[in-house]
Amino acid sequence: MEYFIELLFSGLTRGAIYALIALGYTMVYGIIGLINFAHGEIYMIGAFTAFIVSTVLSILGFPLLAIIVLAGLAAAVWSSAYGYTVEKLAYKPLRHAPRLSPLISAIGMSIFLQNYVLLAQTSDFQPFPELIPEFDFMEPFVHIVGSSDMVILVVTTLMMVGLTLLIKFTRIGKAMRATSQDRKMAMLVGINVDRVISATFIVGSALAAVGGLLIASHIGQINFFIGFIAGIKAFTAAVLGGIGSIPGAVLGGVILGLTESFATGYVSSDYEDVFAFSLLVLILIFKPSGLLGKAEIQKV
Amino acid sequence: MNNTILKVSGLSMHFGGIQALKQLDLEVNRGEIVALIGPNGAGKTTFFNCVTGIYNPTEGDVILHTLQGKTSRLNGLKPNKVTEKGMARTFQNIRLFQSMTVLENVMIGRHCRTHSFILGAILRTPGNRQEEQAIIERSHEILEIVGLADEVDNYARNLSYGAQRRLEIARALATDPSLLLLDEPAAGMNPQETQELVQLILRLRDQGYSILLIEHDMKLVMTLSNRIYVMDYGEKIAQGTPEEIQSNPVVIKAYLGEDLDA
Amino acid sequence: MISFEELKRSFLVSLWFVFLTFPILVIKANPIERTIIWRWENMFFVAIGSFVLSILIRVVNTQKTKRLERRSASDSDTTTSEPLIQVILQNPRYLYPLAGAVTVFALVFPYLFDTYQTNIMTTALMYVVLGLGLNIVVGMAGLLDLGFVAFYAVGAYSYALLNAHFGIGFWMALPIGALFAASFGIILGFPVLRLRGDYLAIVTLGFGEIIRLILENWNEFSQGPSGISNIPRPGMFGIELSLEAAILYIYYIMVALVIVTIFVVNRLQDSRLGRAWIALREDEIACQAMGIDKTKTKLTAFALGATWAGMMGVIFAAKTTFINPASFTFLESAIILSIVVLGGMGSILGVIVGALVLILLPEYLRALSDYRMLAFGAILVVMMIFKPQGIISNVRRTYKYQKQKSGDVQ
Ligand SMILES: Nc1ncnc2c1ncn2[C@@H]1O[C@H](COP(=O)(O)OP(=O)(O)OP(=O)(O)O)[C@@H](O)[C@H]1O
Ligand SMILES: [Mg+2]
């Protein structure tokens, strides 16, 4: 039973991170219908920025709390900046191109960013500083759920509540919803669609960056390649929940996290990634609209 | 001998909550030109899509009796099967193969009547070569019928709007259809092009094709059609000869406030 | 020519990139030795580089608009001068001698250069064939297959395993590997080919990764990450060749395969099937409405592409005599995709040139080889934006009919 609960929590933690990244995929897809293949790299860049900033600050002797706040901020700022720039450079010129063109461009961006970080930093795994301390009050439960798990769950929940509020109640959130429903119409009623798209990339990237920071500090190491697998898994989560649907992304993330956790815990850990990929393939084949998404019939 | 070519009965289609077609019945007889008209959004294109297998209708039957005397039920079939059975269509928003030549566009239409495959293509067997030559010849003939013989090697994307519409018809003709479905063939054409189109459609009728067409140009509809069906909000509201339709109060009411292009 | 306003904008762009790349390009922190290296020179490069690039793009763009304006102004000048390459391609008088010269050069290549060069050339030729194979799937049929490398792996492992367990030789393995890969293509293709384009891309990527992960973890079957070694090089009539001779032999096998592939792909492209692929790429719905069986047509493209990948897999195993799952990552698929995209989707000559440039350039310019993958990524983006039809775009052939018609009339 204890093992079960342990797996449950580790699954939830993973799922929360997948959900944070999946939100970026789902929001972008909802608005411009593009699978932003480079989103995993944005998350990786977030993690790397956090790594660089926190290492520098810790060498300079900053207190832990300041390091956490500054590293988190830096990760969010730079990830957003990258997300924004990638959209402007690689996707915006292709907005009226055939559907596969922006996807190919996105794949190119993903490969480019991976190798950019590889060349500018290193190909080795880097030890990530442990930013989240072991809390004393967590002591009695530490054998089933660690402090960092707890922090991840709390922070992601807060982020999601924040995102929901943003989308429901702010001007830009309403513009996002309008644009994703009907871009032409949104343009006609005077919404600046370019601005909405940029905002979507910025918000999605910032969420991914927080995910990157949390998971890197949880696992304790990063390298340039972490974005690839995490990206695909998060995309799986997004599709599972129904791409374009925000609650779907969260649901998909949690289901995927739990599946992985239990499958590796009870079946075999060798095939960890195979479970996720198989799930991806199966959903796309049998229910491409996902759990909460709408099936679309192409208008002719 | 049966004189009906297409018999649609009780055709319905839902999109989520919207009911785009409600229990529609429609018939086309051999050698007839039948028009399907109705205000924007009435469900005319949806009707075509359901009949040609692009959408899967929620309810109803679509029966085709071909010129060759075969009878087949089309509902539930894939679009390519429907075309194989002997019914071809054009699209309201032109869907040509833009980066192919005019001739190749028509050659694509011959696909379902020809058979050469991987090995034939690689080895260029005599049989394959003959077939290929026959495709080219037939496609040329069809392009002559629609008046595009001078454009064979031009890219489809370089054609004028009117010519593109005619190329769509040519491509559909290449599939040897018994029944031709035309979705707003005159849309975007100037008066002279429209006049040529009327001539073309009449010629096709005389060559034995039956034609079902959607059109907003009332003058064209009234001159061409033997019979007219009128739809509004997914329902058939009237049917009859052009004279009957013109004086039908229900039809006039449905069109009130509508912009008659005629 | 460049206004002050434009200079200012380029300057802002440059500033933005300095900010953007600051943490990753400038700071290098080592958490273990607790050292920080500040690489200010990188900041300088980024500033200059992005400024110059931004200006360049602006200039190119204004010229493009000017050219377009000029063209629409003088409508009489519609005969756009075709690029030299297209002129050569379309005229057999130039094309055949050129092709002949290239073939002769390929045949004498090993005598002009040393074994090392020959080996590199063999690799390049393998990518030519892989590119042409993927070109059927992506370029002609418009199916973005991101798991192409899986079929390459199937071919390689077919040979390695069949040889290890049953002693099957290279020449037997070549068709078997191709067949296995084709069967795999059909089995995988069947459920996924009805998916929309972008989902198809992701599913094929997923399949590719699944196959690699299985090869990596199923030790009893594939010997896991350590791979399979001592795969024999191809023998000639049962005689084992020396290393040098074997390299030469594989080189000539590859030359022959390239020629066969070009021949086959060229014929396919101009056939009923090839036209159906291109139509499918252009408009699926119209294509179906014209009576083309979408699934069958896609499946043929998928399986044919896989066949070539499988064949190259066998060659790869025979050439390197050692294979492991690390050779079959997504990046490999991405490289082949870059070749197709750079060369021009659907363009046979383009893909050949693309493969040679992308594989040979990093080999000969060692300084560049570190930046290889960076460049491949950039190529995908830049080509999509500036030249989606590739460096040598595909021109549809015209069909001769009038002549034959006059012949018929006689
Ligand atoms: N794929 C679809 N999903 C949802 N609704 C659809 C779809 N296709 C059509 N509709 C709806 O069905 C109704 C009928 O549309 P349809 O295109 O058939 O009209 P139409 O009579 O052809 O009009 P027009 O004269 O403007 O071409 C419209 O309300 C349209 O929005
Ligand atoms: Mg319509």
Side-chain angles (χ1 to χ4, degrees):
Chain A
M1 191 59 203
E2 225 165 61
Y3 186 54
F4 177 85
I5 295 174
E6 192 188 322
L7 290 178
L8 181 73
F9 270 103
S10 90
L12 282 176
T13 312
R14 267 171 198 251
I17 300 292
Y18 290 151
L20 272 185
I21 312 172
L23 284 169
Y25 280 109
T26 251
M27 288 166 62
V28 166
Y29 196 93
I31 294 214
I32 54 173
L34 166 74
I35 299 174
N36 180 12
F37 206 85
H39 189 58
E41 272 56 55
I42 298 295
Y43 147 91
M44 178 271 290
I45 284 175
F48 244 99
T49 309
F51 157 76
I52 293 165
V53 171
S54 58
T55 310
V56 168
L57 294 181
S58 105
I59 292 172
L60 297 180
F62 278 61
L64 187 61
L65 192 66
I67 295 180
I68 295 175
V69 171
L70 288 176
L73 253 158
V77 166
W78 263 282
S79 274
S80 302
Y82 274 91
Y84 171 84
T85 313
V86 164
E87 193 272 327
K88 284 272 181 276
L89 285 183
Y91 308 150
K92 189 162 175 243
L94 295 173
R95 222 166 269 166
H96 303 288
R99 195 167 178 144
L100 286 184
S101 300
L103 180 59
I104 292 176
S105 184
I107 293 167
M109 253 308 158
S110 156
I111 296 170
F112 181 88
L113 289 176
Q114 257 177 42
N115 286 277
Y116 156 71
V117 173
L118 163 75
L119 291 169
Q121 294 286 322
T122 167
S123 62
D124 303 328
F125 268 99
Q126 294 286 314
F128 197 93
E130 201 178 302
L131 294 180
I132 306 167
E134 291 297 330
F135 300 119
D136 294 336
F137 64 86
M138 288 294 294
E139 192 56 40
F141 315 103
V142 79
H143 51 293
I144 44 171
V145 49
S147 299
S148 66
D149 291 278
M150 230 38 231
V151 171
I152 288 177
L153 287 176
V154 171
V155 172
T156 43
T157 312
L158 286 177
M159 303 282 304
M160 280 159 200
V161 171
L163 179 69
T164 313
L165 294 178
L166 175 95
I167 287 184
K168 275 244 155 68
F169 299 113
T170 62
R171 247 179 95 83
I172 190 78
K174 284 178 191 160
M176 279 178 186
R177 276 185 292 154
T179 310
S180 82
Q181 257 168 32
D182 191 335
R183 183 168 359 144
K184 273 213 196 84
M185 216 34 154
M187 228 174 312
L188 286 180
V189 298
I191 291 173
N192 183 341
V193 171
D194 280 342
R195 191 127 96 225
V196 171
I197 293 173
S198 289
T200 310
F201 273 84
I202 288 171
V203 173
S205 303
L207 293 173
V210 174
L213 167 78
L214 290 173
I215 196 74
S217 132
H218 182 60
I219 293 177
Q221 58 173 11
I222 58 168
N223 82 345
F224 73 99
F225 201 61
I226 55 171
F228 181 70
I229 295 283
I232 292 183
K233 288 188 180 170
F235 178 72
T236 308
V239 178
L240 178 60
I243 197 149
S245 150
I246 287 179
V250 178
L251 180 69
V254 171
I255 294 178
L256 179 64
L258 290 175
T259 313
E260 269 195 358
S261 174
F262 287 118
T264 51
Y266 288 122
V267 187
S268 155
S269 63
D270 286 348
Y271 288 95
E272 182 186 330
D273 293 341
V274 175
F275 291 122
F277 285 124
S278 309
L279 193 62
L280 172 66
V281 169
L282 291 177
I283 310 157
L284 282 181
I285 292 175
F286 293 108
K287 199 165 186 336
S289 57
L291 296 173
L292 303 184
K294 294 185 293 273
E296 53 177 298
I297 305 178
Q298 197 189 351
K299 274 198 187 181
V300 175
Chain B
M1 192 173 161
N2 197 336
N3 203 30
T4 318
I5 245 187
L6 177 74
K7 186 173 167 62
V8 178
S9 38
L11 198 71
S12 298
M13 178 78 197
H14 304 257
F15 294 113
I18 313 168
Q19 178 141 29
L21 295 180
K22 286 175 215 153
Q23 293 290 328
L24 229 87
D25 299 320
L26 182 146
E27 262 178 49
V28 181
N29 294 323
R30 187 157 295 183
E32 257 188 337
I33 297 177
V34 176
L36 180 60
I37 63 171
N40 290 106
K44 305 178 297 292
T45 300
T46 306
F47 176 80
F48 269 24
N49 287 337
C50 286
V51 169
T52 55
I54 288 179
Y55 295 160
N56 203 352
T58 328
E59 245 185 279
D61 263 339
V62 180
I63 312 271
L64 183 77
H65 308 278
T66 64
L67 292 177
Q68 292 77 30
K70 277 200 212 114
T71 295
S72 22
R73 168 168 296 184
L74 301 183
N75 38 315
L77 290 186
K78 292 227 177 86
N80 56 304
K81 287 286 167 212
V82 171
T83 308
E84 248 174 64
K85 296 281 183 204
M87 184 159 74
R89 69 174 289 180
T90 66
F91 292 91
Q92 179 176 353
N93 15 9
I94 297 171
R95 304 189 79 122
L96 289 169
F97 307 117
Q98 301 288 353
S99 73
M100 298 174 93
T101 64
V102 167
L103 183 66
E104 281 180 311
N105 267 276
V106 182
M107 288 169 81
I108 287 292
R110 295 302 297 156
H111 190 97
C112 61
R113 302 293 173 218
T114 45
H115 310 281
S116 100
F117 207 53
I118 303 174
L119 273 187
I122 296 173
L123 302 177
R124 289 223 176 129
T125 54
N128 171 69
R129 251 182 295 171
Q130 242 167 22
E131 188 183 270
E132 189 77 4
Q133 207 53 48
I135 295 177
I136 298 173
E137 263 167 55
R138 178 90 183 104
S139 306
H140 264 278
E141 283 169 25
I142 292 169
L143 282 173
E144 241 151 73
I145 296 177
V146 302
L148 285 174
D150 297 336
E151 304 277 4
V152 278
D153 291 336
N154 205 346
Y155 284 97
R157 58 167 179 264
N158 295 340
L159 294 184
S160 71
Y161 206 69
Q164 294 204 6
R165 290 228 176 265
R166 274 182 289 150
L167 181 54
E168 279 233 344
I169 297 178
R171 195 176 60 172
L173 283 177
T175 65
D176 290 346
S178 297
L179 176 66
L180 205 51
L181 306 185
L182 307 177
D183 197 343
E184 304 199 12
M189 282 189 172
N190 62 35
Q192 199 209 322
E193 284 175 324
T194 309
Q195 202 41 49
E196 283 168 17
L197 179 77
V198 168
Q199 295 310 319
L200 172 63
I201 293 177
L202 287 174
R203 255 201 327 274
L204 291 176
R205 198 255 318 265
D206 296 341
Q207 287 180 12
Y209 296 101
S210 309
I211 292 160
L212 173 60
L213 67 93
I214 297 175
E215 194 43 75
H216 281 298
D217 182 339
M218 283 309 141
K219 206 169 119 232
L220 182 146
V221 169
M222 295 304 163
T223 37
L224 270 182
S225 349
N226 300 97
R227 287 187 303 116
I228 298 175
Y229 287 83
V230 189
M231 287 179 69
D232 197 12
Y233 295 108
E235 270 178 303
K236 180 166 79 187
I237 56 170
Q239 74 182 79
T241 61
E243 297 75 37
E244 287 164 10
I245 295 299
Q246 266 167 318
S247 54
N248 187 325
V250 183
V251 177
I252 295 168
K253 188 161 166 257
Y255 270 103
L256 262 188
E258 282 280 332
D259 221 7
L260 281 174
D261 304 33
Chain C
M1 198 163 81
I2 301 164
S3 67
F4 174 73
E5 188 57 29
E6 281 176 317
L7 279 178
K8 203 174 90 188
R9 295 194 65 169
S10 289
F11 178 70
L12 289 178
V13 168
S14 162
L15 264 188
W16 172 255
F17 276 94
V18 165
F19 161 75
L20 192 67
T21 54
F22 175 72
I24 286 176
L25 266 185
V26 175
I27 309 174
K28 181 146 186 185
N30 188 326
I32 300 166
E33 288 164 14
R34 298 184 70 74
T35 52
I36 311 170
I37 306 167
W38 300 87
R39 300 167 294 179
W40 296 109
E41 70 279 6
N42 286 347
M43 185 184 257
F44 177 72
F45 294 143
V46 167
I48 299 291
S50 53
F51 183 74
V52 170
L53 263 180
S54 156
I55 296 249
L56 262 178
I57 290 176
R58 257 169 242 284
V59 169
V60 168
N61 271 347
T62 39
Q63 280 188 345
K64 212 191 244 168
T65 10
K66 262 191 211 147
R67 220 181 311 134
L68 282 179
E69 274 166 16
R70 224 179 304 139
R71 198 175 295 166
S72 58
S74 62
D75 231 8
S76 57
D77 186 31
T78 40
T79 46
T80 39
S81 59
E82 289 186 61
L84 181 66
I85 193 87
Q86 302 291 5
V87 174
I88 294 175
L89 269 182
Q90 274 158 38
N91 192 337
R93 278 203 8 232
Y94 304 123
L95 181 63
Y96 291 157
L98 191 73
V102 171
T103 316
V104 169
F105 177 72
L107 290 177
V108 299
F109 185 86
Y111 301 101
L112 301 178
F113 299 93
D114 59 16
T115 319
Y116 173 74
Q117 312 279 355
T118 309
N119 223 348
I120 291 177
M121 198 44 133
T122 309
T123 309
L125 292 181
M126 286 172 59
Y127 278 94
V128 167
V129 175
L130 285 169
L132 288 173
L134 186 64
N135 185 41
I136 297 178
V137 188
V138 181
M140 297 190 199
L143 307 166
L144 186 52
D145 179 0
L146 297 180
F148 195 61
V149 75
F151 305 121
Y152 190 43
V154 167
Y157 272 88
S158 300
Y159 177 38
L161 292 173
L162 285 175
N163 183 274
H165 296 303
F166 308 105
I168 284 181
F170 171 81
W171 286 108
M172 273 290 278
L174 196 60
I176 296 180
L179 206 70
F180 275 4
S183 322
F184 246 80
I186 292 174
I187 295 170
L188 299 192
F190 206 72
V192 306
L193 283 176
R194 59 195 172 81
L195 291 175
R196 230 180 33 214
D198 46 357
Y199 280 8
L200 175 79
I202 302 292
V203 170
T204 50
L205 169 71
F207 265 131
E209 286 296 294
I210 291 174
I211 288 187
R212 187 180 62 77
L213 288 166
I214 289 175
L215 289 174
E216 211 155 76
N217 290 297
W218 192 4
N219 289 321
E220 304 76 39
F221 174 71
S222 64
Q223 302 184 19
S226 53
I228 301 173
S229 45
N230 290 326
I231 304 167
R233 293 194 170 81
M236 207 183 216
F237 310 114
I239 311 162
E240 229 176 90
L241 299 168
S242 71
L243 178 61
E244 305 253 303
I247 287 176
L248 205 62
Y249 189 39
I250 296 185
Y251 173 79
Y252 281 115
I253 294 175
M254 268 322 300
V255 171
L257 274 174
V258 168
I259 293 174
V260 170
T261 309
I262 294 173
F263 176 80
V264 169
V265 174
N266 191 40
R267 286 210 154 170
L268 282 173
Q269 176 173 267
D270 286 335
S271 72
R272 169 178 177 267
L273 191 59
R275 284 191 301 269
W277 287 336
I278 296 169
L280 202 59
R281 177 189 74 192
E282 297 277 303
D283 190 328
E284 254 183 43
I285 287 175
C287 203
Q288 281 184 289
M290 288 305 116
I292 290 175
D293 186 335
K294 180 172 98 174
T295 317
K296 188 172 154 197
T297 309
K298 282 184 175 180
L299 214 51
T300 340
F302 213 61
L304 276 172
T307 310
W308 264 275
M311 216 145 58
M312 283 308 104
V314 175
I315 303 255
F316 175 72
K319 175 172 176 283
T320 55
T321 72
F322 165 75
I323 54 168
N324 72 348
S327 307
F328 306 106
T329 59
F330 165 67
L331 286 184
E332 200 67 26
S333 294
I335 292 174
I336 307 170
L337 180 66
S338 311
I339 288 173
V340 176
V341 167
L342 176 71
M345 291 197 234
S347 152
I348 295 176
L349 183 65
V351 171
I352 297 171
V353 174
L356 294 178
V357 168
L358 285 190
I359 304 302
L360 293 182
L361 216 56
E363 289 290 346
Y364 287 114
L365 298 173
R366 276 282 152 196
L368 290 185
S369 65
D370 283 345
Y371 297 93
R372 215 167 87 109
M373 287 315 295
L374 193 75
F376 286 170
I379 281 172
L380 289 178
V381 179
V382 170
M383 293 305 287
M384 277 303 121
I385 293 171
F386 294 104
K387 214 155 175 358
Q389 72 277 34
I391 45 177
I392 302 174
S393 58
N394 179 34
V395 172
R396 291 307 301 162
R397 73 175 274 226
T398 51
Y399 294 81
K400 292 187 211 80
Y401 169 64
Q402 311 304 16
K403 271 183 219 150
Q404 251 125 17
K405 190 180 174 190
S406 60
D408 285 349
V409 168
Q410 280 169 5

